[in-house]
Amino acid sequence: MSIEAKKRIDELTDAINYHNYRYYMLEDPVISDFEFDRLIKELAALENTYPQYVRDDSPSKRVGGAVSEKFGQVRHNIPMLSLDNTYSRDEVAEFDAKIKRFLGYPATEEIEYECELKFDGLAVELIYRDGIFVQGSTRGDGVTGEDVTANLKTINTIPLKLQKNIGYIEVRGEVLMDKKGFKRLNEERLKEGSSLFANPRNAASGSIRQLDPEVTSKRNLIMFAYGTGGYSKEIIFETQFEMMNFLRAAGININKNVAVVKGISGAIDFFDGVAKKRESLPFEIDGIVIKVNDLKLQERLGEISKSPRWATAYKFSAKQEVSEITGIEVSVGRTGILTPVAILKPVNIGGVVVKRATLHNQDEINKKNINIGDGVLVERSGDVIPEVVKVISKGGNSGPFKLPELCPCCGSLTVIDGAAHRCMNELSCPCQIKGTIVHFASKRAMDIEGLGEKIVDKLVEKGLIKNVADIYYLKKGDLSGLEGFGEKSEENLFNSIEKSKNISYDRFIYALGIRHVGEHIADLLVKYFGGIEGIKSAGIEELSSRFGIGEEIGKSIFNFFRTGSNTAVIERLFKAGVSPHIVNVSAYAGYGKIAGKSFIFTGGLKDFTRDEAENSVKEMGGIVEKTVKKKLDYVVAGNEPGSKYDKAVKLKLNIINEEEFKELIK
Ligand SMILES: [Zn+2]
C-alpha cells in the first residue's frame, strides 16, 4: 500500500511539475485547469497521509512557476500566496466549516465575507513610495517575481501617482485583457501570420512578459487590484472591504463587483449572481473570490501550505475539456475565406455543450498538426467561438488536415491569400453572393436604391438572384410575393435598376467588389487601362507596378479576371444593358479612340455578333447608344442598315464601316 502511494506521489509530482512548466513558462498548457487542480488535490491528499514521501521538488512546496531569465528578479517582501480552488457548493461549505472549526465558532455562526470577481489574468505587485509608482513585478513563484515595471507603466489603469500621499504601500492586482482586445489582437496576429493566443489570460501574460514595453502599450491591458502586501503604519483599515475602498480612494482601479455578505450562503448567492452576468462582462473571469472580511480574523487564520486559510476561489467549472475530432467542415465566409471547423464528440465545457470548434486556417492546422480522429484539448472562453487548443493524441491520420483546393461552396479553384485560402469566384459563389450584391448595389457603387441587405437576403433565398447580373434580369412580378414589397416599391426598384445601367466606369469597377479594389484604385485602373479589356489583358507585374499598388492588389485583380465565372457575369451585365462610360476622356492614352466616345450600331456585321461588337466598345470605355442623337461620335454601319442609318445621314454623323471599326478597336 505504502509502496503504491510512493509511486503515485512520484508520478504526480513529475506530472504537475511538467504541467506547471507548460502553463507558466511556455504559456502552452496541455491539460485543462480543472484536470490540473484535480492532480494537485490528489497529490495533497497523498502527501498528507504519507508525509515521509513528500519530495523536495513537490509543487506543494512552492506556489507557481520559475522566473524567466530575461527580466530582473524582484523578491516580494510578503510572499504572494495562491488561492485554494473550490468548484462546488459542498466544497465552499467545507471551506466555511473549516474556518469555524479553526476559530472555535459554533457551526451556526454566520461569518462576514467579502466577495470579489476572480479575474483570469496575471497577478502583479505594484510598489508605491510617497505616492509614486516605483516598481512592479509579476507574482512569479510567489516569493520571487520578474521586474516588469516598464511594461506595467504602459497600462492606463495603473496610476503612476496616487491620489493620496501614502508613505509606502504594496498593491496587489491582476492584469488582464478584455474580450474585445483579445479578439482584435488575435485577428491582427492571424493577418500577420503570427501564432494565436489560446485565451485572454495567456495574451495578458504574454503582453506583460514582453521585452519591449512599446508592444505592451499597444495591447490595451487593464489592472484590477484585489489587496495589499505590506504598507506603512499610518494606514489603518479593519476589514477587507475597507481596504478595497481605501485603495479606490487612492486612485487604484477596483472593480465595482465587490460585496460584503453574511454567511457562506450569502457568498453562494453572490456567485450565482456573477454566473448570470459572466457572459456580459467585458473581460473573462473564472469565478469569484471569497475572503473573510475581518482583517484580525484573517491574521488569526493565517495560511496553510502556501494558501491563505481565510480565502478561497470559487470557480466556474472548467472551460477546457478533452474531446475528439470526428470530422472537419470547411465553410466559406462572405469574403470568400475558407474557414476549417472541427466537428467534435460533444463535450460539456463550463455548462455549454460544444460540438464544433474553429481551426482558424491552414497555418494553424499545420502548426498544431490537427487531423480527423485526433484527441484534442478544446477551450471555450466566454462568447468567443470554441477553439481547438492542441492535439493530445494523434488518431489514424498522419500529418495535418489539408484544406480543399476547390471552394466547397461553388467548386472553383481557391488561391492562397496571406494565411487564408480564398475562393476567387466573388461574383457567383453562393456563400459570398449576398455580400457581393449588397456592395454592388450600394450608393457609392451602382447606387441601386431600394436594394439593401434585407431585400438582397430575400431575393437570394428565393433563388431570384444568383449573381449581380441577375439583378438586371428580374421581371415585373418577381418581387410582388416578397414580404413588405408593394407595387410602388417594386416600381421604384425597377427604376433605380434601370438608372444604374448608365454608370461611370470607375464606379462600375468598384462595384464588382474585386478584393482590395476600392474607389481610388478603381479610378486609377480606369484612367490607365481604359475599360475591362485593358485591365484584363494586363499582367500582374503591370497591374502592380503602374501605380505602386503592390503585388497583393495586382494579384487580386489578375485572379479576378482569370476566373471564368466572373468574366461571364460581366458579359451578362453588358448584355443586359449596363453601359459604363468614361467621364474624363483626356486621361486615356491607350484607348483614346474608343474611351469616352459614343457608338451606335446598325445593320449586320461580318466578323462580330452585335453583342460582341457592343461589348468591345464598352470594355474599352466607350458608350453604346440605342437611339440616334446629335452628339454621337461613331455610327457603325454593317450590311443592310436600318432606319438609324438614315437618321445618321440626316444628322451628318460620322458613319464608319466594319473595317474602319476593326481598325479603331485594334
Ligand atoms: Zn466559392
Side-chain angles (χ1 to χ4, degrees), residues 482-500:
L482 292 179
E483 191 191 320
F485 233 85
E487 219 169 282
K488 186 74 196 151
S489 43
E490 177 167 9
E491 198 191 310
N492 287 343
L493 179 59
F494 276 108
N495 285 339
S496 52
I497 289 173
E498 197 53 39
K499 218 174 77 194
S500 76

Side-chain angles (χ1 to χ4, degrees), residues 407 409-410 412 423 425 429 432:
C407 170
C409 200
C410 70
S412 60
C423 166
N425 184 12
C429 179
Q432 297 180 58

Side-chain angles (χ1 to χ4, degrees), residues 584-639:
N584 180 4
V585 181
S586 61
Y588 312 97
Y591 293 106
K593 290 179 196 160
I594 304 272
K597 298 284 194 297
S598 51
F599 285 75
I600 197 163
F601 291 86
T602 176
L605 300 171
K606 250 185 4 255
D607 294 338
F608 306 88
T609 64
R610 176 68 65 81
D611 284 339
E612 270 174 351
E614 291 187 354
N615 268 352
S616 35
V617 167
K618 287 175 185 172
E619 284 176 353
M620 294 165 89
I623 303 154
V624 176
E625 296 286 5
K626 293 289 172 193
T627 53
V628 180
K629 44 183 116 170
K630 261 188 182 168
K631 282 194 169 175
L632 269 172
D633 292 303
Y634 296 102
V635 178
V636 184
N639 288 330

Side-chain angles (χ1 to χ4, degrees), residues 332 336 338 406-414 422-426 428-432:
V332 182
L338 273 61
L406 302 180
C407 170
C409 200
C410 70
S412 60
L413 207 62
T414 60
R422 187 183 289 276
C423 166
M424 295 306 292
N425 184 12
E426 282 124 311
S428 315
C429 179
C431 292
Q432 297 180 58

